[in-house]
Amino acid sequence: MAKKLAASDSSLASRLLLSLLCLVSLLLCFSLFRIDTASPSLTYSVLPEQSNSNCNYSNGRWIYDHTVRYPPRYDHNCKEIFKGWNCIASNKSNAIDIIKWRWKPYGCDLPPFDALRFLENFRDTNIGFVGDSLNRNMFVSLFCALKQVSPEVKKWRPVGADRGFTFLKHNLTIAYHRTNLLARYGRIDVDMPDGTWAEAPSFHDILVFNTGHWWWAPSKFDPVNSPMLFFEKGVPVTPPVPPDAGLDMVSFVEKNVRSSAMLFFQHNPQGILKEVTGTKVEELFSLKNNGTNVETRLVNEHLHRALKGTTFQIMDITHMSEFRADAHPSTAGGKRHDDCMHWCLPGLTDTWNDLFIAHLNSLKARN
């Protein structure tokens, strides 16, 4: 009997010791896991830093979030995505990796996008994106994100829009008005809007504009064979002015917009396919070094000057975009050349909308 008790005690002690070792092992693994995932350069903060209306959302850095496994906002099969921009469907080698980067402003957090909250906050609102294909990039990104949570959509084209949709449950309309220079052209009338969006200011409550690249497009406006000729009030501008001066003269928007409308002008980001990081970005793009795509920085300077004193909110997406050479479709979109102008969807353009919505919410809170 004593032998049986001893054996039983020994067996119990062994089981207890084994359980204790398992528990210690689990605790050790858990602590190592926490150390690994707590790396500030990789993880997304569950509790974001306090945001404020004075934050410069455009000044920050990209943080890689390795936990993202799938497009966090919308299905990449969203039919509105232009085929050449659908980098996942086109099997771009780093397509899934592109969406794992989030923008972290210095000193604050860029609020995460909440599609349902956005639909509620901007019920009975009309939003127009006016500009070239980069604004279409942004428009499509927003449409796909909203459609994922509110699929009842009516397709229509309000007031000359290239395309548009109304989310029926919230009566929210978003539309894209295709225009390259904003101004009417053939000859360029700097005081007259292009017909594709001439009526847009009377319809939309919020307008997002972009322009820039086309003002420096040699294939369209050769300075010798087909120079830009500017007209104001039907009279040629003399002496002739260069494109940057012409851009400064585009001032008709505020004269025709609703007094309560919110106006945004996003900087027009160019792209390169060479990946650069840190201070090298500034070296590559800076004006003083006559850097790559120098016209982008020139456009930004002139836009700041032209919009000074207006009711426009300037939304700077150039800086954050310059870091993301990885986020272009490149040749994956089926073109014979590298597409370093447009952006993959899903991808960087989602962050442009984060920035846009953060500005919108800040303005709404102030008003």
Side-chain angles (χ1 to χ4, degrees), residues 179-194 211 214-217 220-222 226-237 241-250 252:
T179 179
N180 296 329
L181 299 179
L182 300 184
R184 188 174 73 175
Y185 68 104
R187 71 178 198 184
I188 301 152
D189 291 277
V190 295
D191 54 346
M192 297 186 69
D194 190 11
T211 190
W214 289 82
W215 292 80
W216 275 267
K220 301 292 182 182
F221 305 102
D222 185 272
S226 57
M228 280 185 161
L229 300 176
F230 297 104
F231 289 76
E232 189 171 17
K233 297 180 180 178
V235 178
V237 175
V241 295
D244 51 4
L247 179 59
D248 289 348
M249 296 166 65
V250 178
F252 48 75

Side-chain angles (χ1 to χ4, degrees), residues 8 10-20:
S8 175
S10 175
S11 175
L12 179 62
S14 297
R15 287 199 299 271
L16 286 173
L17 180 60
L18 181 61
S19 298
L20 183 61

Side-chain angles (χ1 to χ4, degrees), residues 52 75 79 87 108 120 122 158 179 182 208 326 355:
N52 60 76
D75 191 315
K79 292 181 180 179
C87 293
C108 64
E120 283 293 336
F122 294 94
T179 179
L182 300 184
V208 183
D326 65 308
L355 201 66

Side-chain angles (χ1 to χ4, degrees), residues 165-297:
F165 301 91
T166 296
F167 294 87
L168 298 176
K169 283 188 176 181
H170 298 85
N171 192 32
L172 169 70
T173 294
I174 64 172
Y176 164 61
H177 298 259
R178 168 76 184 186
T179 179
N180 296 329
L181 299 179
L182 300 184
R184 188 174 73 175
Y185 68 104
R187 71 178 198 184
I188 301 152
D189 291 277
V190 295
D191 54 346
M192 297 186 69
D194 190 11
T196 58
W197 71 275
E199 301 300 320
S202 64
F203 176 81
H204 292 295
D205 305 292
I206 299 167
L207 286 163
V208 183
F209 294 88
N210 86 302
T211 190
H213 163 67
W214 289 82
W215 292 80
W216 275 267
S219 61
K220 301 292 182 182
F221 305 102
D222 185 272
V224 176
N225 298 318
S226 57
M228 280 185 161
L229 300 176
F230 297 104
F231 289 76
E232 189 171 17
K233 297 180 180 178
V235 178
V237 175
T238 54
V241 295
D244 51 4
L247 179 59
D248 289 348
M249 296 166 65
V250 178
S251 59
F252 48 75
V253 179
E254 281 200 308
K255 298 174 184 176
N256 299 289
V257 78
R258 293 180 181 180
S259 59
S260 60
M262 297 182 184
L263 303 176
F264 291 85
F265 213 117
Q266 67 165 354
H267 282 181
N268 200 5
Q270 302 280 1
I272 57 168
L273 288 175
K274 179 182 178 182
E275 295 188 32
V276 288
T277 57
T279 57
K280 290 183 179 179
V281 171
E282 186 57 36
E283 292 173 10
L284 190 67
F285 285 92
S286 70
L287 290 176
K288 66 179 181 180
N289 294 335
N290 194 28
T292 302
N293 290 332
V294 67
E295 67 272 13
T296 302
R297 297 292 182 97

Side-chain angles (χ1 to χ4, degrees), residues 24 27 33 35 56 61 64 74 76 103 132 167 175 177 205 240 261 277 287 289 291 306 312 323 338 353:
V24 170
L27 289 173
F33 173 78
I35 291 171
N56 181 1
R61 61 194 174 100
Y64 188 81
Y74 52 87
H76 62 271
W103 182 249
D132 63 20
F167 294 87
H177 298 259
D205 305 292
T277 57
L287 290 176
N289 294 335
F312 276 98
F323 289 91
D338 285 330
N353 277 310

